[in-house]
Amino acid sequence: MKNKQITHSASSFSLSRIEKKKVKKKTKTSKKKKIWLFTLAIVLIAGLGSYVFRKELLIFGFNNVVAPTIEHTLDGSYVPLENNENAEAPGLQPTADNKDRPFSILLLGTDQRGKENGLSDSIIYTVIRPVDHKVLFVSIPRDSYAEIIGAEKVKGARKETKINAAHSYGGPQMSVDTVKNLLNAPIEYYATINFNGLVGVTDALGGVELPITKVIENKSPDHEKLRIEPNKPIYSGAEALMYVRYREDSDFKRTERQRIFLKSALERMKRVDNILNIQKIIEIAGSNFQTNMKSDFILDLAKRVILEGGTPEITSHMLQGEGRRKDQWYYMLDENDVKRTHELIEIWLNPDSTDTDLSAASADDAA
């Protein structure tokens, strides 16, 4: 009887110890589970917060970190025009009362080397409507036959020739005057970047996405060698430059590629790492970029167009015409299309134009 009791006590003691281990193990598992769930909840809340407030966080960072560091660099790129009554008129300077109005910019991509002005390889008349968050790109083929305004003041300059010669004769001023005359439309601002700057800025953005589905390659012995492989997720600055300069298909396709690149670069700029890296991007542009837009205007525009509303809705139009040989090969513009383009620009610059008006005017054009 005594032995049985001892055996029973030992057995009870043994079971109790096992049960304690089980309880302890269960407690540890429960604690681990709670910690894991708590961590997951924090991650989800943080992720949701960064998603919901992403725009606000970007704008806060832009205003308080980015803008103060690049304002001085942008001031160094400011080069006013001599004869630009539109941008210099007090009533058209951006103020609290008129900063929402539509305005025009002439975008120029040049092959400038050293102190030479260089030809304008890319000419895009742009209308920005800040309130509607819409942009109009009017591409002007570089070989368009046009009257060059101010050519008589430059020794050896031709009065009528390819429009890209205007920049080589007289820089942004002559380009602005010539395009204003061609389109019979105001140009308030201009911005030029040479192709060295384009390569550097694109690389600083981490490259760009481009819809290249087959090999792009120059085959003519008269053209510089270039080859771009298709279906790459990201293209470098050098590849992007080849993409916008390739011209062995048509002027229409070439100007279309320029617009695609601009849209892709805008998309890329919205990335958080690029917003925080914008000081480096602006510094790389450096002497390769000049404009008559003042730094506070550029910063406000960047914040409103890129950050506050996402990538703007883009409508594109290219001046129509046909190739013809005179003393050399030119792109002869269709007078009716030039007139229609003038009317299109008038509607886009009118602050009272509605979405219906813009859609109707741009019915034949695609982004």
Side-chain angles (χ1 to χ4, degrees), residues 136 315-316 340 344 347-348 356-366:
L136 172 68
T315 298
S316 301
R340 180 179 104 72
L344 174 68
I347 292 171
W348 272 76
T356 302
D357 296 329
L358 300 178
S359 298
S362 312
D364 297 330
D365 300 311

Side-chain angles (χ1 to χ4, degrees), residues 42-91:
I42 290 174
V43 170
L44 288 173
I45 291 169
L48 181 62
S50 64
Y51 176 78
V52 173
F53 299 109
R54 180 175 181 274
K55 185 189 296 183
E56 286 77 7
L57 290 170
L58 284 176
I59 292 172
F60 177 83
F62 186 86
N63 286 337
N64 294 279
V65 179
V66 175
T69 62
I70 65 173
E71 190 167 0
H72 178 71
T73 306
L74 288 173
D75 285 339
S77 298
Y78 176 72
V79 181
L81 296 176
E82 296 174 6
N83 307 316
N84 195 14
E85 67 279 4
N86 290 316
E88 300 306 322

Side-chain angles (χ1 to χ4, degrees), residues 66-353:
V66 175
T69 62
I70 65 173
E71 190 167 0
H72 178 71
T73 306
L74 288 173
D75 285 339
S77 298
Y78 176 72
V79 181
L81 296 176
E82 296 174 6
N83 307 316
N84 195 14
E85 67 279 4
N86 290 316
E88 300 306 322
L92 290 179
Q93 286 297 314
T95 65
D97 295 329
N98 68 10
K99 69 177 184 178
D100 290 338
R101 65 175 180 80
F103 60 92
S104 56
I105 304 175
L106 183 64
L107 302 178
L108 300 167
T110 73
D111 62 356
Q112 182 179 11
R113 295 177 178 86
K115 295 183 179 180
E116 296 179 356
N117 288 321
L119 299 168
S120 51
D121 220 38
S122 175
I123 308 169
I124 302 177
Y125 183 100
T126 305
V127 177
I128 295 179
R129 295 179 62 90
V131 173
D132 300 331
H133 209 65
K134 296 178 186 290
V135 175
L136 172 68
F137 285 151
V138 176
S139 296
I140 304 172
R142 53 167 278 169
D143 294 329
S144 298
Y145 188 74
E147 179 184 358
I148 309 299
I149 304 302
E152 68 280 357
K153 300 175 184 177
V154 180
K155 185 178 180 180
R158 302 180 61 180
K159 183 67 176 173
E160 293 181 320
T161 187
K162 296 180 180 181
I163 197 168
N164 68 336
H167 193 272
S168 66
Y169 293 158
Q173 180 70 66
M174 199 171 289
S175 291
V176 166
D177 292 341
T178 297
V179 173
K180 282 169 62 176
N181 179 70
L182 173 67
L183 298 177
N184 189 23
I187 297 175
E188 298 166 50
Y189 305 101
Y190 80 90
T192 71
I193 187 167
N194 73 41
F195 289 127
N196 291 328
L198 184 147
V199 172
V201 168
T202 302
D203 285 337
L205 288 172
V208 291
E209 298 177 25
L210 298 172
I212 302 174
T213 57
K214 61 182 181 180
V215 171
I216 295 178
E217 184 177 20
N218 271 347
K219 296 180 180 179
S220 170
D222 297 329
H223 295 158
E224 61 182 312
K225 290 184 178 181
L226 66 81
R227 180 184 173 89
I228 316 172
E229 298 297 330
N231 303 314
K232 295 175 68 172
I234 294 292
Y235 288 89
S236 69
E239 290 169 321
L241 177 58
M242 290 189 283
Y243 179 75
V244 299
R245 297 196 76 180
Y246 176 71
R247 57 182 307 184
E248 289 192 359
D249 44 11
S250 67
D251 277 320
F252 180 83
K253 290 291 185 182
R254 190 165 185 270
T255 56
E256 181 182 45
R257 284 191 292 273
Q258 293 168 359
R259 297 191 299 267
I260 289 171
F261 167 77
L262 284 174
K263 188 173 182 179
S264 181
L266 281 174
E267 284 283 359
R268 200 74 176 168
M269 183 65 76
K270 290 191 304 177
R271 287 166 47 113
V272 175
D273 54 342
N274 282 329
I275 294 296
L276 298 177
N277 200 33
I278 198 167
Q279 181 180 6
K280 178 183 175 184
I281 293 169
I282 295 297
E283 286 175 352
I284 288 172
S287 60
N288 297 302
F289 172 74
Q290 68 180 54
T291 181
N292 65 337
M293 292 182 284
K294 294 183 178 178
S295 58
D296 55 347
F297 179 68
I298 295 174
L299 291 170
D300 181 68
L301 180 63
K303 184 176 70 174
R304 300 177 71 197
V305 173
I306 298 175
L307 294 180
E308 292 182 353
T311 304
E313 181 183 331
I314 295 173
T315 298
S316 301
H317 175 70
M318 173 182 152
L319 289 182
Q320 302 298 303
E322 60 180 16
R324 190 183 308 164
R325 180 165 290 280
K326 292 168 72 74
D327 57 311
Q328 56 181 306
W329 192 91
Y330 295 100
Y331 189 76
M332 306 303 292
L333 296 173
D334 182 298
E335 291 184 6
N336 289 329
D337 184 67
V338 173
K339 182 180 178 182
R340 180 179 104 72
T341 303
H342 164 74
E343 294 168 352
L344 174 68
I345 290 170
E346 273 196 329
I347 292 171
W348 272 76
L349 284 175
N350 184 349
D352 296 325
S353 293

